Amino acid sequence: MFKTTYLTAVAGLCLATAATAETPKLSVLTYDSFTSEWGPGPAVEAAFEEICACDLEFVGAGDGAALLARLQLEGPRTEADIVLGLDTNLTAAARETGLFAPHGITADLTLPLGWTDTEFMPFDWGYFAFVGNADADAPTSLRELAESDIKVVIQDPRSSTPGLGLLMWAKEVYGDEAPQFWDAIADNIVTVTPGWSEAYGLFLDGEADAVLSYTTSPAYHLIAEEDDSKVAWEFSDGHYMQVEVAGKVAGTDVPELADQFLEFMVSDEFQSIIPTTNWMYPAATPADGLPDGFDTLIAPATSLLKTPEDALAVREEALAEWRAALSQ
């Protein structure tokens, strides 16, 4: 009796182990807020696992710019199959790692710009903005903000894509005069956080008058909380655009599964998750359109964006200007 029971248990364990071994795993390296319980990750995971017969695993690595630093450190040893959460300010540097393969995806994108990148595929986009309270006096330009007494929280450009976006925004508006802008705004900055979530939390806790975020951020408060007290300030000198992307790691052991995920990423099912979880514009607007509330958001009259190559070329100079001003 004991021998029979033991053999049955062993057989069951072997079958379970074999079943687990036969289930392929797709590892997606992304930023922490994507994987959070309120982010897109849980819904994307559930939807994709219904069609892939796989185990989709999201691995958080801090904020968006931290993804590139991790890839540069790990190199070919990375266990990621997909990297999701870089943006166009980082894609040129990411391409230089040699870690990415062509995606081969064709999609009907609704970005406000053409897309020709063969290695990185967009999944959402938006505009950077300072978000404040609706009942407060609002500056109308970066210069007016810097000359005011308004206290703001921003993100570290070395670890955060919004933080890096602000550097590019200042470079686009001020060019060689960007150091003067940073000198002027330095005393407005309450603190610099590693990522977006920490900065936004400080703003909501009343630690600052405004926070570097997105023109779409008020949609969260309006839709999820029925709260219209938060607004994005529209600046006459324009708003810098962010396009977030994903890429397939060339050394992946599951290339077909990675391709399937990228195809899924630009489908209606994935894209319809983005607006009310990542609170950004989807890269391919779903057939049902955007949720009610997105029509109330500001639409910047002037859109700013550097090419990936130009962003890479000025990145170190912009970081040096930022560090010099904030270290005084």
Side-chain angles (χ1 to χ4, degrees), residues 283-317:
T285 304
D288 291 339
L290 296 172
D292 292 341
F294 271 71
D295 56 330
T296 67
L297 303 175
I298 65 170
T302 302
S303 176
L304 308 172
L305 183 66
K306 287 187 177 297
T307 67
E309 294 74 23
D310 286 346
L312 176 61
V314 302
R315 184 183 177 194
E316 290 306 316
E317 177 184 313

Side-chain angles (χ1 to χ4, degrees), residues 185-199:
I185 201 172
D187 60 356
N188 299 76
I189 298 171
V190 175
T191 191
V192 177
T193 64
W196 175 88
S197 297
E198 301 96 322

Side-chain angles (χ1 to χ4, degrees), residues 80-144:
D81 302 301
I82 295 282
V83 178
L84 182 152
L86 300 172
D87 68 11
T88 56
N89 291 327
L90 297 170
T91 51
R95 204 182 327 272
E96 287 187 347
T97 67
L99 294 176
F100 291 92
H103 56 70
I105 306 297
T106 301
D108 292 327
L109 302 177
T110 53
L111 298 170
L113 75 167
W115 192 262
T116 58
D117 196 311
T118 59
E119 290 176 295
F120 298 100
M121 198 67 190
F123 64 91
D124 69 13
W125 67 279
Y127 293 102
F128 294 117
F130 283 91
V131 172
N133 293 303
D135 58 359
D137 291 336
T140 60
S141 67
L142 284 173
R143 186 179 302 278
E144 191 175 326

